[in-house]
Amino acid sequence: MSKAAHPLAGKVALVTGAAGGMGRAYAHHLATLGADIVIADLDLGAGKRWGEVEDSVEDEINRLGRRAVSVEGDLSDREAARRAVAAAIDTFGRLDVLVNNAGGAITPAERSTATASPEEDTSRLLAANLYTALYLCQEAAPVMTRPGGSIINIATLGVFGASRTGGYAIYTAAKAAVVDLTKSLAVELGPVGIRVNAVAPGVIRTPRVVATAEQRGIATGDQDAKVPLGRLGTTEDMVGVIEFFASDLSKYVTGELLAVDGGVHHVSVL
Ligand SMILES: NC(=O)c1ccc[n+]([C@@H]2O[C@H](COP(=O)([O-])OP(=O)(O)OC[C@H]3O[C@@H](n4cnc5c(N)ncnc54)[C@H](O)[C@@H]3O)[C@@H](O)[C@H]2O)c1
């Protein structure tokens, strides 16, 4: 494998929420760059729900010529986070890249403003979006390659400003906490050579987002025109940025947050 074509050859990447959606795309892309992959997800069959995956993401990675191992569990449970990290070390003997992608705005949108959000939704959103990332970072940091490790935390466009209705308030608060954690971790782990960055996707047309567009009012046709680059995003738009942060292309970058949203967070109401 040439170093230029396969900058992650011999490396190992753990991607959370990798059974479907963007996490699956990240796992594929990191595998094409040469990495072996740990797939961690609450539900390893998640990719079948919207018809994305025929067999399993593990099989897909194997077909790309890379090794893969899968771990099922709720990563907001510290023990499951520990198992995911242990799978990397026990199976492949190392961990170079961690993508904290698990999460989502998983509670009912119609009761998602700050004042309407019931306790149970608040707990679920903090667990899925903040605790998953926090526990994975805590478990992974001591065993990641140093120097050379890279952690990428997935945030959201919502960290730059509230939605027009004030909805998704707790979801975006949880992601904002992840962005803040990214900065603290970057400072703490910089001296041992582990970089920590965050990525904020705009609306990305994953199969789930497309299937639920009308019901959630997200990714409906009229939203393309509101984006400076003229369209909502695709998983293909995301993977290059993950490559940038996972590889030496960003070797002197840490603690940063990069929006991948076609410029939409720069648009004001005027
Ligand atoms: N799709 C978008 O437009 C968009 C926009 C901004 C941010 N994001 C963020 O990007 C990430 C991926 O989004 P997606 O659209 O691909 O979502 P998705 O629902 O298609 O995939 C998320 C995956 O995470 C898994 N997951 C959820 N909670 C988990 C937990 N507690 N433990 C382990 N796995 C868990 C799910 O099973 C699922 O496979 C999420 O963090 C989401 O908040 C998505």
Side-chain angles (χ1 to χ4, degrees):
M1 271 191 284
S2 82
K3 173 93 176 120
H6 300 104
L8 301 184
K11 298 196 173 185
V12 174
L14 191 173
V15 183
T16 71
M22 280 191 265
R24 170 175 172 254
Y26 302 155
H28 282 189
H29 193 72
L30 294 169
T32 63
L33 296 174
D36 293 322
I37 307 291
V38 181
I39 299 147
D41 204 293
L42 179 63
D43 172 11
L44 289 175
K48 292 207 167 79
R49 203 168 306 151
W50 312 110
E52 292 169 80
V53 181
E54 236 171 67
D55 37 20
S56 69
V57 176
E58 186 174 322
D59 289 327
E60 292 175 338
I61 300 291
N62 290 154
R63 284 197 289 276
L64 291 170
R66 301 287 173 269
R67 297 179 295 166
V69 63
S70 306
V71 182
E72 192 167 67
D74 180 348
L75 297 166
S76 65
D77 168 9
R78 181 178 286 282
E79 192 45 44
R82 193 171 292 152
R83 277 196 290 116
V85 171
I89 303 301
D90 296 348
T91 313
F92 302 123
R94 59 190 293 155
L95 178 58
D96 302 277
V97 175
L98 165 64
V99 186
N100 279 314
N101 164 81
I106 53 175
T107 55
E110 62 279 10
R111 60 184 200 204
S112 67
T113 62
T115 58
S117 185
E119 187 59 38
E120 72 178 282
D121 292 9
T122 300
S123 302
R124 284 186 68 204
L125 289 163
L126 289 173
N129 293 286
L130 175 58
Y131 291 140
T132 54
L134 173 63
Y135 291 161
L136 259 303
C137 287
Q138 289 177 331
E139 295 299 324
V143 298
M144 283 185 88
T145 303
R146 44 174 77 190
S150 174
I151 297 174
I152 305 160
N153 293 324
I154 304 300
T156 173
L157 163 71
V159 301
F160 297 108
S163 73
R164 200 165 276 280
T165 59
Y168 300 104
I170 311 298
Y171 167 64
T172 54
K175 291 291 198 184
V178 170
V179 173
D180 195 76
L181 196 61
T182 301
K183 289 183 267 180
S184 302
L185 283 163
V187 172
E188 180 190 344
L189 299 175
V192 298
I194 297 175
R195 297 180 298 106
V196 191
N197 291 286
V199 175
V203 176
I204 306 297
R205 288 189 199 274
T206 62
R208 174 188 60 82
V209 166
V210 169
T212 58
E214 290 306 324
Q215 170 210 338
R216 296 171 73 229
I218 291 179
T220 50
D222 60 334
Q223 288 176 348
D224 285 317
K226 296 182 178 155
V227 181
L229 288 180
R231 61 174 177 80
L232 299 179
T234 66
T235 54
E236 262 309 297
D237 295 323
M238 294 299 304
V239 296
V241 173
I242 298 299
E243 173 177 348
F244 173 70
F245 282 126
S247 70
D248 280 353
L249 288 171
S250 60
K251 64 186 173 193
Y252 199 53
V253 180
T254 196
E256 288 303 316
L257 168 65
L258 181 59
V260 188
D261 67 351
V264 81
H265 75 282
H266 297 297
V267 178
S268 82
V269 292
L270 297 177

